[in-house]
Amino acid sequence: KVSDVREKSGNECSNVYRVSYGKASFLFTGDLVKESEAELLREIDPKSTVLKVGHHGSKTSTSEPFLSAVHPQWAVICAGFENSFGHPDEKTLQTLLKNGVKTYRTDRDGAVTFITDGETMRVNVYVRQCGSGINKAQPHFEAVLDFLCVSPR
């Protein structure tokens, strides 16, 4: 609600977008916190094929009721490699696992792309090899941009 937004600032005002193409749907939750997830559940049916997990997978997002309502097949957590915040949170990862959600992480899997024709879905991950031979994810900003590219082909 517009009147409520004027009184709030920060993560609780995060933009949320749901994009659908045929039978495929994507829910982008930005930095949405649990309290705002509950508000969103009162406003819309968030059921989606793919969930971009809120707030980098921190403990402040992705509540059980919200995850149950979204009921995604796949989830993506956008977090920087070895970030100082410790994202994603272990409890969030366990919640996703417990709910049978195939989860990709940009800090480990690199860029994540979903390709759909509206009926089927293909997922690709791209990790850059470093000189030491250890896989390290691409920089966070590249992974987010690649994740946002959905190509109906």
Side-chain angles (χ1 to χ4, degrees):
K1 297 177 183 171
V2 176
S3 60
D4 294 341
V5 171
R6 289 185 189 140
E7 298 170 11
K8 297 179 180 179
S9 63
N11 292 335
E12 67 271 14
C13 286
S14 195
N15 290 328
V16 176
Y17 298 96
R18 186 174 182 279
V19 178
S20 61
Y21 181 75
K23 294 179 181 176
S25 54
F26 301 80
L27 186 64
F28 299 93
T29 58
D31 283 346
L32 199 66
V33 294
K34 290 177 183 177
E35 295 79 16
S36 297
E37 290 174 352
E39 288 178 36
L40 186 68
L41 291 180
R42 290 191 290 274
E43 305 276 332
I44 68 164
D45 175 8
K47 186 161 174 37
S48 299
T49 315
V50 180
L51 170 66
K52 193 298 244 163
V53 174
H55 203 210
H56 317 284
S58 77
K59 63 185 176 186
T60 63
S61 297
T62 318
S63 66
E64 284 274 358
F66 185 72
L67 190 58
S68 273
V70 176
H71 196 67
Q73 287 181 267
W74 294 280
V76 177
I77 298 173
C78 295
F81 183 74
E82 296 180 350
N83 67 82
S84 60
F85 300 101
H87 295 146
D89 185 73
E90 187 59 36
K91 185 176 180 195
T92 301
L93 294 171
Q94 289 304 313
T95 299
L96 291 161
L97 181 65
K98 183 174 102 178
N99 284 276
V101 182
K102 170 65 178 163
T103 303
Y104 294 93
R105 298 171 46 175
T106 60
D107 63 328
R108 291 191 180 166
D109 300 312
V112 181
T113 60
F114 289 82
I115 300 167
T116 185
D117 59 5
E119 294 288 325
T120 60
M121 185 80 72
R122 189 172 79 228
V123 184
N124 295 316
V125 295
Y126 304 92
V127 177
R128 179 181 298 145
Q129 286 289 112
C130 293
S132 65
I134 297 171
N135 284 339
K136 287 193 177 180
Q138 294 179 3
H140 178 60
F141 69 92
E142 289 179 26
V144 172
L145 291 175
D146 283 342
F147 173 66
L148 293 176
C149 295
V150 179
S151 174
R153 186 162 168 92

